């Protein structure tokens, strides 16, 4: 179970990073015609996604440590 949670958290980190990088590239491109308000929302959403995924990994790691302590 913790392995799939770790994998899920890692996938979430990768998706959030990709979302952030895509928005940053749109803002940085002079001819993109990017809507800055929309891109700001995308960046903030990516930040929240990143934080949530980090929390998933932390909880999975804590669960794994607890399981190891129980077995030891």
């Amino acid at each position: 179970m913790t392995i799939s949670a770790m994998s899920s958290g890692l996938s979430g980190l990768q998706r959030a990073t990709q979302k952030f990088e895509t928005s940053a590239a749109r803002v940085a491109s002079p001819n993109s015609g990017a809507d800055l308000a929309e891109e700001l929302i995308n960046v903030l959403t990516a930040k929240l996604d990143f934080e949530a995924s980090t929390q998933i990994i932390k909880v999975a790691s804590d669960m794994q440590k607890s399981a190891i302590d129980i077995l030891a």
Side-chain angles (χ1 to χ4, degrees):
M1 170 144 179
T2 58
I3 292 174
S4 66
M6 291 275 199
S7 178
S8 177
L10 181 58
S11 294
L13 290 176
Q14 291 169 336
R15 281 190 308 271
T17 300
Q18 180 62 38
K19 186 174 200 174
F20 178 83
E21 289 175 352
T22 300
S23 285
R26 284 186 194 134
V27 170
S29 177
N31 297 324
S32 71
D35 179 2
L36 294 181
E38 182 179 337
E39 297 308 331
L40 178 59
I41 291 168
N42 288 338
V43 167
L44 292 174
T45 302
K47 178 183 180 274
L48 292 173
D49 290 346
F50 196 90
E51 290 171 352
S53 296
T54 301
Q55 190 64 27
I56 289 170
I57 293 170
K58 182 185 179 310
V59 169
S61 176
D62 290 347
M63 287 173 48
Q64 190 174 31
K65 287 177 188 174
S66 294
I68 290 171
D69 288 345
I70 289 170
L71 296 174

